[in-house]
Amino acid sequence: MRNNRKDAVKVGIAEMGFVRAPSCIYTVGLGSCVGVVIYDQKEKMAAMAHVMLPYAEKSGDRKFNRAKYADTAVYALCETLLQNGGKLENFRAKIAGGAQMFQHYSTEHDMRIGPRNIEALKRFLHEVNVPLLSKDVGGRRGRTIKFDPVSEVLFIRSINTNVREI
């Protein structure tokens, strides 16, 4: 899962990016954060966000960053694809991440960031009518992901595991 292609686009924490085939898009360091990819199957393009938190409305964030929150990232990704010639009926999604990295916080609702991010992404993908085709979420391990809009494969790497494809 090397990102040795010069045309691969890296998405940082609380950022989003866009690619057209043959370029790939990737993000690293997904712990409780979730990587969400929305892509257009026919146009072979994709948008990815590295989501940190479930809801913007509860953040009180003065310098608003749409990629940081699940509820606003889904809409921003769809808008990006639409602005680049995509059609909503061709959009599909895949997600990975949302680990519960700290076991001793697992019973406190507000500290269950990973599971709350996953729930929020599922909710908002459903709300915009974008099918979630596959996911690799939860657990206690971090992830690095790369999406190829040509093959429509999301590659997932974790420490001490083989690369998974969904």
Side-chain angles (χ1 to χ4, degrees), residues 6-74:
K6 291 179 183 173
D7 57 352
V9 172
K10 181 179 181 182
V11 175
I13 296 170
E15 292 180 353
M16 57 186 222
F18 169 82
V19 294
R20 287 188 186 277
S23 297
C24 294
I25 191 164
Y26 70 101
T27 192
V28 300
L30 294 169
S32 60
C33 295
V34 178
V36 56
V37 177
I38 301 177
Y39 59 99
D40 185 305
Q41 293 181 300
K42 294 214 165 62
E43 296 296 322
K44 298 297 181 194
M45 59 182 171
M48 176 187 285
H50 186 129
V51 172
M52 291 180 65
L53 297 167
Y55 301 103
E57 66 192 36
K58 296 180 181 178
S59 73
D61 195 348
R62 298 274 185 248
K63 295 179 181 175
F64 189 69
N65 174 356
R66 294 175 73 192
K68 186 175 181 178
Y69 306 98
D71 58 348
T72 54
V74 167

Side-chain angles (χ1 to χ4, degrees), residues 21-145:
S23 297
C24 294
I25 191 164
Y26 70 101
T27 192
V28 300
L30 294 169
S32 60
C33 295
V34 178
V36 56
V37 177
I38 301 177
Y39 59 99
D40 185 305
Q41 293 181 300
K42 294 214 165 62
E43 296 296 322
K44 298 297 181 194
M45 59 182 171
M48 176 187 285
H50 186 129
V51 172
M52 291 180 65
L53 297 167
Y55 301 103
E57 66 192 36
K58 296 180 181 178
S59 73
D61 195 348
R62 298 274 185 248
K63 295 179 181 175
F64 189 69
N65 174 356
R66 294 175 73 192
K68 186 175 181 178
Y69 306 98
D71 58 348
T72 54
V74 167
Y75 294 103
L77 295 174
C78 287
E79 286 171 12
T80 297
L81 292 169
L82 290 168
Q83 289 168 358
N84 283 281
K87 292 190 170 64
L88 186 59
E89 62 267 18
N90 299 330
F91 293 0
R92 303 292 181 266
K94 295 184 180 191
I95 62 173
Q100 183 62 37
M101 301 298 288
F102 306 105
Q103 188 171 0
H104 60 281
Y105 289 124
S106 64
T107 58
E108 294 181 40
H109 177 72
D110 287 345
M111 295 308 295
R112 296 181 65 246
I113 303 297
R116 289 174 52 225
N117 282 338
I118 295 163
E119 290 169 20
L121 282 168
K122 287 180 181 178
R123 174 182 168 200
F124 290 103
L125 287 167
H126 178 74
E127 199 170 281
V128 296
N129 205 26
V130 173
L132 176 59
L133 296 189
S134 55
K135 61 188 182 303
D136 182 53
V137 296
R140 300 202 182 283
R141 58 187 163 78
R143 296 166 174 89
T144 292
I145 64 172

